[in-house]
Amino acid sequence: MEKVIAFTRDTIKKDDDFGGINPFLNLEKTSVLQETRTFNETPLNVRKCIHVLAKIVYLINQGEQLGTSEAREAFFATTRLFQSKDVTLRRMLHLCIKELPTAPDDAIIATSSLTKDMTGKEDGYRATAIRSLCKITDIAMLTAIERYLKQALVDRNPAVSSAALVSTLQLGKENGPAEMVKRWTNEIQEALNSDNVMVQYHALGLLYSVKKHDRLAVSKLLSKYTKSGGVRSPYATCFLIRIACKVIEENEQDNNAPLIGFLESCLRHKSEIVIYEAARALCNLPNMSGKDIAPAISVLQLFLSSPKPTLRFAAVKTMNKVATNHPATVTMCNLDLEHLISDANRSIATLAITTLLKTGNEGSIERLMKQIQSFMSEIPDEFKIVVVRAIQGLCFKFPKKHAVMMSLLSTMLRDEGGYQYKEAIVNTIIAVIEANPNSQETGLYHLCDFIEDCEHGVLATKILHLIGREGPKTPKPSKFIRYIYNRVILENATVRAAAVTTLAKFGAVCLDLRPSILVLLGRCLYDTHDEVRDRATFYLRILESGNTSLINQYIVDSLQSSITGLQSLLLHYIEQPSDVAFNVNSVPITTAPAEVTPTAKTDDLIIDHKPAIPTKTRQEEFAEKLAEIPEFASLGPLFKSSANPIELSESETEYYIKCDVHTFQRHVVLQFDCTNTLNDQQLENVMVEIESEGYTVLGHIPCPILKYNEPATCYTLLEMPEDPAEVANSFACTLKFIVKDCDPVTGEADPVGYDDEYVLEDLSIGINILFQKVYKSNFTASWDEMGDENEAEETYTLNNSKSLQDSVDQLISFFGMQPCERTDRVPEGKNAHILLLAGHFKGGIECLIKTKLVFDGSVNLRVAARSHDRDVSELLVSSI
């Protein structure tokens, strides 16, 4: 497109101060289409016609949609220009025909003219004619020009040969022409011997496209052309490197030595792009040790001092990725990386500093922080965010140096910057506080200083909630009260309301501060905003009551019900009135949001600044989906869905099956997500048959049709055993279906099929489907409040656990309850640990577990459970 604009600038007489202004700015489609009348003039104004064609191409490339009639009229108008012999106009005409959406019936009008141009003697537009002809020609007309295309593949003119090869490559992606292209292998191999670097590159790409589904043919292609002197084009060599990498990754056997040897030999190539491609390939190969990639790192180290910015950027970016898994290998380049911190290209400097943060040792932290501090003021926010994320990784790597890094992060918070930059720093400090308890007090004070002069209400609210959760647990919680109450005086209504909630949490947990908190909340009763006054009144009355149960339920732990679940149950209660009072315990508990793939990694330089959109939790999505199925409408609200799907077959097998377990009050729904990986089969009436003792199968909802690579879902409804102890069970699963053979190309299935079945792996369900996670910010208070009336206790020895952390992870997964007060992480060097879990049994029965673990070769475990129901406590301690 830039070439077209540049050409138009040269052909239109403008003043010398044209200044790079886009001549096609604010074009209107209607006026441009009207200008096509110029093509009917006699004699033709070549310069004007070229300009109109350029406008049409520009509009199409800018995304302007032409209607069917508009495109047809424009196409017919352009075909009149074939009468001109001007080379430049003819090339522009070919480009325009190629870009215009053309119906096959209309395209035949231009086919003969384009064929004549393709086979003519004027090399100036033969290449463009080939591209246009292959774009508008369908399979029926392709046979008529097959002979000319084969000749063009080996044409002496490199431009014509490349155009034919690339056009053939595009044709090969369609099912019909692909078979025709396979018959041109001899011509393609002849083109591969060309002296032109681009022709050789395009020929190799086409040859690989033809043979890529035949592993033996690809292996022969590599063995032929990876030898010394196989290909002369550096672009073709780079493509060979990528093919070799793909074969190495797919090949599970240990016979990759020749291909790895080829990659290492390319490190000594005379072309820089080949050297870099080989180095990058070696670094990205799986299962490579630091010793294996050392030659590649040595080559990249030389590129770090190259005068070319592109080579420096490529080298440092690759090293940045390698440093994540092999920091010791990259350490030898630290001196060269430090020189790049002052590089004029800020992208290179940012990657250099983040790489140093990954490879640095504990002794170099202070020096690195000083370099970063002087460096941060010179880069934009996008690069600052990358550095902040790298600092976060360093905090996790060297927790003892948290004070130095926290100090730098605090300084960054006070510097100028946008919302995304400040949010990244706040999130980093919060993550460090949660991962390293020793940094808690320091991090909270830094955040308190930040909210004194924070212009972002969202961040201030987030920090206030964190202070309310963590502040009361610090040695001197009274120090935070001033910062919190300042927000009540100085901020907007949203932040003031958050500050009132934070004050109430301090008053609920810190008994010595409660009188002062009551005075401050009393002053909030005169606030100008309703929400602030209502919160202050609510919290004030609860704190004044002195009722520990109310304080823990409504202030310390707050409401953890699913908002969408509460809404649907309230609507149902209103639509169908009942004499029984609405039961809040029947509302599903809120769960963690569904995982979302991050938009940017730590070492990426492109950050997505789109505002975060609130996402539904995984369970809420399932609840909506199941509610739409009439067979499940009478089951009641969904209590819990499994956190992750359970695989019942491997993804490489004929049928890939995953299962999600959904728990209701008296029933279990098994959701089977099925994928057919065979392109010559179509399955119908697909269902999974279950065999198990204790559960009763009430029915199946089969999947009507399962096509190739199109996931579909079937369901099985089970009734739970009366005894909760029998819930933990194992199911024998068999996939049953009607199979019909089908055409892999068209997808048409035979009318008659036959019954078949496929044995799946057993499905295991534990007691964790009966418990929903509930977070308790003050577990000790909740434990004491529940009392020991229904407490149950047992002692066990876990012989199969390798460590305390392994045992903790297994217990959390086994019970399916929420770990509290960060007890899910075992401090290093400890041989004893206490795990605290909280949850709700189905029906809204609250339950707590306190486990004490001691490691002395095996793990000795003492489990104590408390609940409002003795049977639930007994179930918890006896189920291990």
Side-chain angles (χ1 to χ4, degrees), residues 137 208 289 362 414 442 475 564 714 766 871:
T137 302
Y208 174 71
S289 64
E362 198 165 0
R414 293 192 295 269
T442 305
T564 56
C714 61
D871 293 338

Side-chain angles (χ1 to χ4, degrees), residues 408-476:
L408 176 62
L409 291 172
S410 175
T411 303
M412 292 179 182
L413 273 178
R414 293 192 295 269
D415 294 340
E416 293 293 327
Y419 171 75
Q420 287 82 12
Y421 172 47
K422 296 299 176 70
E423 182 188 33
I425 299 174
V426 170
N427 289 340
T428 295
I429 294 177
I430 293 174
V432 173
I433 289 173
E434 293 177 347
N436 185 2
N438 295 329
S439 66
Q440 183 184 78
E441 195 168 358
T442 305
L444 289 177
Y445 285 137
H446 286 318
L447 293 176
C448 284
D449 289 335
F450 171 60
I451 61 174
E452 286 290 296
D453 189 28
C454 177
E455 58 185 9
H456 306 292
V458 175
L459 294 181
T461 303
K462 186 174 187 177
I463 292 169
L464 284 169
H465 282 300
L466 175 71
I467 295 172
R469 189 178 77 234
E470 305 295 342
K473 303 173 187 177
T474 58
K476 296 181 179 180

Side-chain angles (χ1 to χ4, degrees), residues 47 61 145 162 192 335 382 409 411 443-444 498 520 545 594 630 674 796 806:
R47 193 179 298 273
N61 280 274
I145 62 170
S162 280
L192 192 52
L335 186 60
E382 289 82 358
L409 291 172
T411 303
L444 289 177
L520 296 177
S545 70
C674 312
Y796 298 93
D806 183 41

Side-chain angles (χ1 to χ4, degrees), residues 615-716:
T615 57
K616 294 179 182 178
T617 64
R618 190 168 184 267
Q619 180 166 319
E620 289 171 349
E621 292 176 350
F622 281 133
E624 291 182 1
K625 186 176 180 181
L626 294 173
E628 296 173 355
I629 302 175
E631 289 84 350
F632 302 149
S634 61
L635 301 183
L638 175 63
F639 174 71
K640 184 179 182 179
S641 295
S642 53
N644 296 298
I646 304 167
E647 294 188 353
L648 300 182
S649 65
E650 297 181 357
S651 57
E652 296 82 8
T653 56
E654 298 96 322
Y655 313 113
Y656 179 43
I657 312 297
K658 298 185 295 182
C659 178
D660 284 293
V661 182
H662 308 295
T663 308
F664 293 82
Q665 185 63 28
R666 291 286 304 125
H667 301 83
V668 172
V669 172
L670 302 179
Q671 173 183 322
F672 298 97
D673 295 322
C674 312
T675 303
N676 174 21
T677 63
L678 300 177
N679 62 356
D680 58 350
Q681 286 187 3
Q682 178 177 292
L683 310 185
E684 295 181 2
N685 198 30
V686 182
M687 57 175 283
V688 178
E689 189 174 89
I690 300 294
E691 296 180 9
S692 176
E693 297 180 0
Y695 285 81
T696 303
V697 179
L698 300 181
H700 301 277
I701 300 180
C703 167
I705 186 169
L706 185 61
K707 296 183 178 181
Y708 166 65
N709 212 27
E710 294 182 10
T713 303
C714 61
Y715 298 91
T716 299

Side-chain angles (χ1 to χ4, degrees), residues 87-101:
V87 175
T88 305
L89 176 60
R90 190 64 64 90
R91 294 180 65 179
M92 198 66 206
L93 172 62
H94 294 164
L95 177 60
C96 188
I97 291 175
K98 176 175 172 287
E99 296 297 329
L100 278 171

Side-chain angles (χ1 to χ4, degrees), residues 207-220:
L207 187 61
Y208 174 71
S209 177
V210 171
K211 297 185 176 184
K212 64 182 178 182
H213 298 296
D214 185 346
R215 297 187 67 174
L216 181 60
V218 172
S219 178
K220 290 181 178 179

